[in-house]
mmCIF file of all heavy atoms in Angstrom:
data_model
loop_
_atom_site.group_PDB
_atom_site.id
_atom_site.type_symbol
_atom_site.label_atom_id
_atom_site.label_comp_id
_atom_site.label_asym_id
_atom_site.label_seq_id
_atom_site.Cartn_x
_atom_site.Cartn_y
_atom_site.Cartn_z
ATOM 1 N N GLN G 340 -41.273 -8.501 -61.918
ATOM 2 C CA GLN G 340 -41.540 -9.926 -61.682
ATOM 3 C C GLN G 340 -42.923 -10.290 -62.183
ATOM 4 O O GLN G 340 -43.889 -9.549 -61.962
ATOM 5 C CB GLN G 340 -41.417 -10.238 -60.181
ATOM 6 C CG GLN G 340 -41.582 -11.729 -59.869
ATOM 7 C CD GLN G 340 -41.558 -12.018 -58.374
ATOM 8 O OE1 GLN G 340 -41.566 -11.100 -57.552
ATOM 9 N NE2 GLN G 340 -41.565 -13.289 -58.012
ATOM 10 N N ASN G 341 -43.025 -11.428 -62.869
ATOM 11 C CA ASN G 341 -44.295 -11.939 -63.371
ATOM 12 C C ASN G 341 -44.783 -13.089 -62.510
ATOM 13 O O ASN G 341 -43.977 -13.910 -62.056
ATOM 14 C CB ASN G 341 -44.174 -12.406 -64.829
ATOM 15 C CG ASN G 341 -43.618 -11.326 -65.744
ATOM 16 O OD1 ASN G 341 -42.603 -11.538 -66.414
ATOM 17 N ND2 ASN G 341 -44.237 -10.169 -65.748
ATOM 18 N N TRP G 342 -46.083 -13.135 -62.291
ATOM 19 C CA TRP G 342 -46.627 -14.212 -61.448
ATOM 20 C C TRP G 342 -46.538 -15.538 -62.147
ATOM 21 O O TRP G 342 -46.924 -15.680 -63.319
ATOM 22 C CB TRP G 342 -48.064 -13.929 -61.086
ATOM 23 C CG TRP G 342 -48.629 -14.926 -60.126
ATOM 24 C CD1 TRP G 342 -48.544 -14.911 -58.772
ATOM 25 C CD2 TRP G 342 -49.327 -16.140 -60.467
ATOM 26 N NE1 TRP G 342 -49.162 -16.031 -58.238
ATOM 27 C CE2 TRP G 342 -49.633 -16.793 -59.258
ATOM 28 C CE3 TRP G 342 -49.688 -16.723 -61.675
ATOM 29 C CZ2 TRP G 342 -50.322 -17.992 -59.218
ATOM 30 C CZ3 TRP G 342 -50.367 -17.930 -61.645
ATOM 31 C CH2 TRP G 342 -50.681 -18.567 -60.417
ATOM 32 N N ASP G 343 -46.006 -16.532 -61.463
ATOM 33 C CA ASP G 343 -45.984 -17.907 -61.946
ATOM 34 C C ASP G 343 -45.855 -18.826 -60.742
ATOM 35 O O ASP G 343 -45.019 -18.565 -59.884
ATOM 36 C CB ASP G 343 -44.792 -18.127 -62.922
ATOM 37 C CG ASP G 343 -44.888 -19.468 -63.640
ATOM 38 O OD1 ASP G 343 -44.526 -20.488 -63.024
ATOM 39 O OD2 ASP G 343 -45.324 -19.499 -64.788
ATOM 40 N N PRO G 344 -46.678 -19.874 -60.662
ATOM 41 C CA PRO G 344 -46.641 -20.717 -59.464
ATOM 42 C C PRO G 344 -45.426 -21.611 -59.405
ATOM 43 O O PRO G 344 -45.115 -22.179 -58.328
ATOM 44 C CB PRO G 344 -47.923 -21.554 -59.590
ATOM 45 C CG PRO G 344 -48.190 -21.582 -61.077
ATOM 46 C CD PRO G 344 -47.738 -20.264 -61.607
ATOM 47 N N PHE G 345 -44.667 -21.762 -60.492
ATOM 48 C CA PHE G 345 -43.565 -22.713 -60.519
ATOM 49 C C PHE G 345 -42.217 -22.110 -60.885
ATOM 50 O O PHE G 345 -41.203 -22.480 -60.282
ATOM 51 C CB PHE G 345 -43.884 -23.872 -61.479
ATOM 52 C CG PHE G 345 -45.167 -24.564 -61.192
ATOM 53 C CD1 PHE G 345 -46.239 -24.435 -62.065
ATOM 54 C CD2 PHE G 345 -45.317 -25.332 -60.060
ATOM 55 C CE1 PHE G 345 -47.439 -25.107 -61.801
ATOM 56 C CE2 PHE G 345 -46.499 -26.007 -59.773
ATOM 57 C CZ PHE G 345 -47.575 -25.875 -60.652
ATOM 58 N N LEU G 346 -42.163 -21.211 -61.848
ATOM 59 C CA LEU G 346 -40.910 -20.712 -62.375
ATOM 60 C C LEU G 346 -40.668 -19.256 -62.016
ATOM 61 O O LEU G 346 -41.624 -18.476 -62.007
ATOM 62 C CB LEU G 346 -40.851 -20.868 -63.903
ATOM 63 C CG LEU G 346 -40.945 -22.280 -64.459
ATOM 64 C CD1 LEU G 346 -40.972 -22.224 -65.987
ATOM 65 C CD2 LEU G 346 -39.767 -23.128 -64.004
ATOM 66 N N PRO G 347 -39.421 -18.868 -61.749
ATOM 67 C CA PRO G 347 -39.111 -17.444 -61.601
ATOM 68 C C PRO G 347 -39.180 -16.772 -62.976
ATOM 69 O O PRO G 347 -38.459 -17.166 -63.886
ATOM 70 C CB PRO G 347 -37.676 -17.448 -61.039
ATOM 71 C CG PRO G 347 -37.392 -18.864 -60.656
ATOM 72 C CD PRO G 347 -38.237 -19.721 -61.506
ATOM 73 N N LYS G 348 -40.024 -15.767 -63.103
ATOM 74 C CA LYS G 348 -40.168 -15.080 -64.391
ATOM 75 C C LYS G 348 -40.128 -13.557 -64.183
ATOM 76 O O LYS G 348 -40.738 -13.069 -63.251
ATOM 77 C CB LYS G 348 -41.458 -15.488 -65.084
ATOM 78 C CG LYS G 348 -41.501 -16.924 -65.564
ATOM 79 C CD LYS G 348 -42.756 -17.236 -66.372
ATOM 80 C CE LYS G 348 -42.734 -18.639 -66.919
ATOM 81 N NZ LYS G 348 -43.945 -18.941 -67.740
ATOM 82 N N PHE G 349 -39.457 -12.902 -65.110
ATOM 83 C CA PHE G 349 -39.342 -11.442 -65.059
ATOM 84 C C PHE G 349 -39.471 -10.878 -66.459
ATOM 85 O O PHE G 349 -39.187 -11.563 -67.456
ATOM 86 C CB PHE G 349 -37.978 -11.013 -64.478
ATOM 87 C CG PHE G 349 -37.696 -11.575 -63.113
ATOM 88 C CD1 PHE G 349 -37.094 -12.805 -62.967
ATOM 89 C CD2 PHE G 349 -38.026 -10.849 -61.970
ATOM 90 C CE1 PHE G 349 -36.801 -13.331 -61.725
ATOM 91 C CE2 PHE G 349 -37.759 -11.363 -60.707
ATOM 92 C CZ PHE G 349 -37.145 -12.608 -60.572
ATOM 93 N N THR G 350 -39.895 -9.623 -66.545
ATOM 94 C CA THR G 350 -39.936 -8.905 -67.806
ATOM 95 C C THR G 350 -39.011 -7.720 -67.720
ATOM 96 O O THR G 350 -39.017 -6.975 -66.728
ATOM 97 C CB THR G 350 -41.379 -8.436 -68.134
ATOM 98 O OG1 THR G 350 -42.221 -9.583 -68.259
ATOM 99 C CG2 THR G 350 -41.394 -7.655 -69.447
ATOM 100 N N ILE G 351 -38.207 -7.538 -68.769
ATOM 101 C CA ILE G 351 -37.357 -6.350 -68.889
ATOM 102 C C ILE G 351 -38.131 -5.322 -69.697
ATOM 103 O O ILE G 351 -38.596 -5.624 -70.812
ATOM 104 C CB ILE G 351 -36.017 -6.688 -69.592
ATOM 105 C CG1 ILE G 351 -35.257 -7.743 -68.806
ATOM 106 C CG2 ILE G 351 -35.201 -5.427 -69.780
ATOM 107 C CD1 ILE G 351 -34.765 -7.311 -67.454
ATOM 108 N N GLN G 352 -38.286 -4.148 -69.151
ATOM 109 C CA GLN G 352 -39.003 -3.065 -69.832
ATOM 110 C C GLN G 352 -38.065 -1.898 -70.113
ATOM 111 O O GLN G 352 -37.104 -1.665 -69.353
ATOM 112 C CB GLN G 352 -40.192 -2.605 -69.008
ATOM 113 C CG GLN G 352 -41.225 -3.677 -68.753
ATOM 114 C CD GLN G 352 -42.364 -3.175 -67.874
ATOM 115 O OE1 GLN G 352 -42.194 -2.290 -67.063
ATOM 116 N NE2 GLN G 352 -43.539 -3.773 -68.015
ATOM 117 N N ASN G 353 -38.346 -1.133 -71.163
ATOM 118 C CA ASN G 353 -37.567 0.067 -71.454
ATOM 119 C C ASN G 353 -38.089 1.230 -70.632
ATOM 120 O O ASN G 353 -38.953 1.079 -69.751
ATOM 121 C CB ASN G 353 -37.556 0.362 -72.950
ATOM 122 C CG ASN G 353 -38.965 0.640 -73.512
ATOM 123 O OD1 ASN G 353 -39.904 0.933 -72.758
ATOM 124 N ND2 ASN G 353 -39.105 0.576 -74.818
ATOM 125 N N GLU G 354 -37.558 2.431 -70.927
ATOM 126 C CA GLU G 354 -37.930 3.589 -70.119
ATOM 127 C C GLU G 354 -39.407 3.966 -70.250
ATOM 128 O O GLU G 354 -39.975 4.641 -69.384
ATOM 129 C CB GLU G 354 -37.053 4.798 -70.514
ATOM 130 C CG GLU G 354 -37.326 5.396 -71.885
ATOM 131 C CD GLU G 354 -36.642 4.628 -73.002
ATOM 132 O OE1 GLU G 354 -36.031 3.546 -72.742
ATOM 133 O OE2 GLU G 354 -36.689 5.097 -74.149
ATOM 134 N N SER G 355 -40.065 3.516 -71.340
ATOM 135 C CA SER G 355 -41.491 3.786 -71.549
ATOM 136 C C SER G 355 -42.375 2.684 -71.001
ATOM 137 O O SER G 355 -43.561 2.655 -71.288
ATOM 138 C CB SER G 355 -41.771 3.974 -73.054
ATOM 139 O OG SER G 355 -40.989 5.037 -73.568
ATOM 140 N N LYS G 356 -41.792 1.743 -70.285
ATOM 141 C CA LYS G 356 -42.475 0.575 -69.706
ATOM 142 C C LYS G 356 -43.034 -0.333 -70.790
ATOM 143 O O LYS G 356 -44.053 -1.027 -70.591
ATOM 144 C CB LYS G 356 -43.584 1.008 -68.733
ATOM 145 C CG LYS G 356 -43.033 1.550 -67.425
ATOM 146 C CD LYS G 356 -43.981 1.303 -66.265
ATOM 147 C CE LYS G 356 -43.283 1.485 -64.919
ATOM 148 N NZ LYS G 356 -44.137 1.144 -63.772
ATOM 149 N N GLU G 357 -42.383 -0.358 -71.950
ATOM 150 C CA GLU G 357 -42.706 -1.341 -72.994
ATOM 151 C C GLU G 357 -41.905 -2.590 -72.748
ATOM 152 O O GLU G 357 -40.707 -2.535 -72.471
ATOM 153 C CB GLU G 357 -42.368 -0.760 -74.377
ATOM 154 C CG GLU G 357 -43.140 0.485 -74.755
ATOM 155 C CD GLU G 357 -42.628 1.071 -76.035
ATOM 156 O OE1 GLU G 357 -41.394 1.216 -76.216
ATOM 157 O OE2 GLU G 357 -43.486 1.405 -76.901
ATOM 158 N N ASP G 358 -42.555 -3.749 -72.872
ATOM 159 C CA ASP G 358 -41.856 -5.022 -72.691
ATOM 160 C C ASP G 358 -40.811 -5.183 -73.772
ATOM 161 O O ASP G 358 -41.066 -4.950 -74.965
ATOM 162 C CB ASP G 358 -42.862 -6.196 -72.751
ATOM 163 C CG ASP G 358 -43.799 -6.200 -71.558
ATOM 164 O OD1 ASP G 358 -43.595 -5.402 -70.641
ATOM 165 O OD2 ASP G 358 -44.740 -7.029 -71.571
ATOM 166 N N VAL G 359 -39.611 -5.590 -73.377
ATOM 167 C CA VAL G 359 -38.494 -5.736 -74.305
ATOM 168 C C VAL G 359 -37.960 -7.183 -74.335
ATOM 169 O O VAL G 359 -37.784 -7.756 -75.397
ATOM 170 C CB VAL G 359 -37.352 -4.749 -73.945
ATOM 171 C CG1 VAL G 359 -36.149 -4.964 -74.859
ATOM 172 C CG2 VAL G 359 -37.823 -3.309 -74.023
ATOM 173 N N LEU G 360 -37.703 -7.738 -73.171
ATOM 174 C CA LEU G 360 -37.161 -9.088 -73.050
ATOM 175 C C LEU G 360 -37.812 -9.801 -71.881
ATOM 176 O O LEU G 360 -38.472 -9.183 -71.043
ATOM 177 C CB LEU G 360 -35.653 -9.046 -72.869
ATOM 178 C CG LEU G 360 -34.785 -8.511 -74.010
ATOM 179 C CD1 LEU G 360 -33.340 -8.349 -73.534
ATOM 180 C CD2 LEU G 360 -34.851 -9.396 -75.229
ATOM 181 N N LYS G 361 -37.561 -11.100 -71.808
ATOM 182 C CA LYS G 361 -38.018 -11.917 -70.691
ATOM 183 C C LYS G 361 -36.811 -12.591 -70.019
ATOM 184 O O LYS G 361 -35.814 -12.865 -70.679
ATOM 185 C CB LYS G 361 -38.995 -13.017 -71.147
ATOM 186 C CG LYS G 361 -40.272 -12.500 -71.800
ATOM 187 C CD LYS G 361 -41.093 -13.693 -72.255
ATOM 188 C CE LYS G 361 -42.411 -13.250 -72.899
ATOM 189 N NZ LYS G 361 -43.226 -14.421 -73.329
ATOM 190 N N ILE G 362 -36.945 -12.844 -68.728
ATOM 191 C CA ILE G 362 -35.968 -13.652 -68.017
ATOM 192 C C ILE G 362 -36.738 -14.795 -67.334
ATOM 193 O O ILE G 362 -37.708 -14.537 -66.605
ATOM 194 C CB ILE G 362 -35.207 -12.833 -66.953
ATOM 195 C CG1 ILE G 362 -34.387 -11.734 -67.632
ATOM 196 C CG2 ILE G 362 -34.284 -13.750 -66.147
ATOM 197 C CD1 ILE G 362 -33.673 -10.814 -66.654
ATOM 198 N N ILE G 363 -36.310 -16.013 -67.612
ATOM 199 C CA ILE G 363 -37.015 -17.187 -67.063
ATOM 200 C C ILE G 363 -35.994 -18.075 -66.362
ATOM 201 O O ILE G 363 -35.005 -18.505 -66.953
ATOM 202 C CB ILE G 363 -37.728 -17.982 -68.175
ATOM 203 C CG1 ILE G 363 -38.742 -17.065 -68.905
ATOM 204 C CG2 ILE G 363 -38.446 -19.208 -67.597
ATOM 205 C CD1 ILE G 363 -39.450 -17.742 -70.060
ATOM 206 N N GLY G 364 -36.256 -18.335 -65.084
ATOM 207 C CA GLY G 364 -35.350 -19.147 -64.286
ATOM 208 C C GLY G 364 -35.776 -20.581 -64.212
ATOM 209 O O GLY G 364 -36.846 -20.957 -64.720
ATOM 210 N N PRO G 365 -34.992 -21.433 -63.558
ATOM 211 C CA PRO G 365 -35.325 -22.854 -63.451
ATOM 212 C C PRO G 365 -36.331 -23.104 -62.321
ATOM 213 O O PRO G 365 -36.553 -22.250 -61.455
ATOM 214 C CB PRO G 365 -33.972 -23.497 -63.089
ATOM 215 C CG PRO G 365 -33.246 -22.420 -62.348
ATOM 216 C CD PRO G 365 -33.678 -21.115 -62.970
#
């Protein structure tokens, strides 16, 4: 989970903890 005061935000990481994708909610 990524900090954001307004939107739900997440980062998808691979097995090496490298950022791969983002998930952004309403």
Side-chain angles (χ1 to χ4, degrees):
Q340 183 184 8
N341 305 124
W342 185 86
D343 190 281
F345 304 111
L346 298 176
K348 291 186 177 182
F349 304 87
T350 298
I351 300 294
Q352 299 178 332
N353 62 17
E354 70 278 6
S355 302
K356 288 209 165 186
E357 298 173 313
D358 292 353
V359 176
L360 295 171
K361 298 178 180 180
I362 297 177
I363 302 177

